[in-house]
Amino acid sequence: MEELQLVKNQIKTFVEECKDEKSLVLLDKLATGKMLRSKLIMKIAGINEESIKLCAIVEMIHAASLLHDDVIDEADTRRGQASVNALYDNKTSIMFGDVLYSKAFTELSQMNRDVAYTVSNAVTLLSIGEMLDVDLTETFNTSYDKYFDMIYKKTASLIEASAASAAILAGRDKEKYALYGKNLGLAFQMIDDILDITQDSQTLGKPAMLDFVEGKVTIPYLLLHERVEDKVKLESLYKKPLTDTESSWIKEQMLSTKALEDSVNQAKSLGLEAIEAVKDEDNESLVQIMSAMIHRDF
Ligand code: FPP
Ligand code: MG
């Protein structure tokens, strides 16, 4: 996709402006992701100088948050490649995250006030979301409200802000696009949580069924806990490395209780709500972005 290359070039230019050789070397070590936020911004605001800058800013903030998250999660892979904390060390990952994050904010301060406010406010939510996520892995969480509040802040807030800011640049209805982005983000995180259970480690680029081992009670586990007969057994497997028999038992229970199926349905219905929010905007690609995201392989 040619447009995404424009964003990558803009990120490189921003990092070059920092005049630091090591930062450029480190930038090269980052594996590129799907760039969902950039795709979204460009579909709403088109491809122009301001929209490309906004994409680069948002991608740099996202990359910075992942550089910090990999330290917090002690992850040694990111997108199927060695993470910066694994290649170098935790200090490097945090410090390079800080470079990307602060340069992004320098550039954000030069943009439209409302865009700057919307994006910077989302980064506060993102940071709070990460704290909530860490707190929720302490003990077995059974609250849907806490789960939704956490995924809204950790994942959906920046997607919401991307869509809203793109709408501001395009002179369109900010609220409609914010709602679209929020629901897209919530559905995106829920599908990620579902894929952790349904996909193998090769496809995921990280060990499969890791969330529960790491203490994350995601939507399929919340539904499962509510429905499973042997709750004590499920609780006893929480935060433990799983044997093949144990992970097969969880998967079977996920199927027989329809916990997995209903999680997919909840994600899909959020997807439909997102599309509903922008139905009068005459932008077919917003429907495409949503359905491409929902129809990732379950
Ligand atoms: C990945 O979650 C983490 C995030 C989406 C947000 C992380 C946010 C911060 C560390 C705070 C903000 C910091 C800065 C510098 C802006 P995950 O661990 O559930 O997903 P994963 O499997 O991709 O790691
Ligand atoms: Mg992580």
Side-chain angles (χ1 to χ4, degrees):
M1 204 182 185
E2 184 62 26
E3 306 94 274
L4 294 179
Q5 193 54 49
L6 295 172
V7 178
K8 288 180 200 165
N9 295 346
Q10 180 67 75
I11 294 173
K12 181 127 192 260
T13 305
F14 281 160
V15 176
E16 277 165 357
E17 285 169 11
C18 297
K19 299 197 186 310
D20 175 62
E21 205 45 53
K22 180 141 185 202
S23 296
L24 275 166
V25 172
L26 289 168
L27 180 65
D28 219 38
K29 306 281 184 224
L30 296 184
T32 2
K34 297 175 285 291
M35 300 179 81
L36 168 76
R37 294 157 191 79
S38 293
K39 285 179 189 157
L40 191 57
I41 291 167
M42 289 190 287
K43 291 297 182 201
I44 299 168
I47 300 164
N48 51 65
E49 208 176 313
E50 284 295 280
S51 72
I52 301 288
K53 276 192 180 169
L54 177 62
C55 289
I57 289 167
V58 169
E59 294 297 342
M60 285 162 74
I61 291 169
H62 180 54
S65 79
L66 297 179
L67 283 161
H68 287 190
D69 178 69
D70 284 340
V71 173
I72 294 164
D73 285 350
E74 298 174 27
D76 43 20
T77 57
R78 170 60 61 191
R79 295 163 178 156
Q81 262 178 235
S83 54
V84 169
N85 51 316
L87 278 176
Y88 293 78
D89 48 24
N90 284 348
K91 289 181 185 180
T92 308
S93 195
I94 290 174
M95 293 184 301
F96 181 49
D98 290 339
V99 171
L100 291 180
Y101 168 60
S102 46
K103 176 62 176 168
F105 268 66
T106 302
E107 295 303 326
L108 189 58
S109 74
Q110 302 304 300
M111 299 208 44
N112 168 300
R113 270 178 79 90
D114 201 7
V115 167
Y117 179 83
T118 304
V119 174
S120 56
N121 187 52
V123 181
T124 308
L125 293 179
L126 189 74
S127 308
I128 293 170
E130 182 79 347
M131 290 213 286
L132 293 173
D133 192 15
V134 170
D135 284 348
L136 284 179
T137 59
E138 285 288 311
T139 50
F140 202 118
N141 171 52
T142 54
S143 158
Y144 286 86
D145 284 352
K146 284 185 183 165
Y147 169 76
F148 275 105
D149 183 48
M150 182 276 284
I151 66 168
Y152 165 59
K153 288 174 180 149
K154 186 184 74 168
T155 306
S157 63
L158 189 58
I159 300 176
E160 175 184 48
S162 303
S165 306
I168 296 166
L169 290 185
R172 305 195 78 94
D173 186 336
K174 173 171 101 175
E175 303 304 329
K176 281 186 187 169
Y177 286 88
L179 188 57
Y180 169 86
K182 177 180 177 174
N183 285 322
L184 178 77
L186 290 171
F188 177 81
Q189 186 58 54
M190 285 170 68
I191 288 171
D192 249 25
D193 294 345
I194 294 162
L195 294 176
D196 174 79
I197 297 160
T198 57
Q199 287 196 329
D200 58 35
S201 57
Q202 197 169 357
T203 323
L204 286 170
K206 62 179 180 186
M209 293 190 81
L210 194 61
D211 284 346
F212 200 56
V213 177
E214 288 184 337
K216 298 179 180 177
V217 183
T218 57
I219 188 73
Y221 290 98
L222 278 170
L223 286 166
L224 179 63
H225 186 259
E226 213 170 63
R227 297 171 183 184
V228 74
E229 206 158 319
D230 198 345
K231 285 196 208 319
V232 175
K233 178 165 178 179
L234 182 64
E235 285 165 12
S236 77
L237 299 177
Y238 179 63
K239 276 174 74 158
K240 302 237 170 69
L242 299 172
T243 64
D244 286 350
T245 326
E246 287 163 346
S247 48
S248 303
W249 179 79
I250 292 181
K251 278 196 194 180
E252 278 159 26
Q253 297 297 314
M254 287 271 184
L255 294 176
S256 62
T257 60
K258 297 199 184 333
L260 211 47
E261 195 179 314
D262 287 341
S263 303
V264 175
N265 288 337
Q266 283 201 33
K268 283 187 176 164
S269 97
L270 281 164
L272 292 177
E273 271 180 56
I275 290 168
E276 185 61 25
V278 290
K279 67 174 186 317
D280 298 330
E281 289 297 300
D282 197 27
N283 192 336
E284 185 55 31
S285 31
L286 296 178
V287 179
Q288 278 165 19
I289 287 184
M290 172 56 77
S291 41
M293 201 222 32
I294 296 260
H295 297 113
R296 286 185 281 164
D297 282 330
F298 296 116

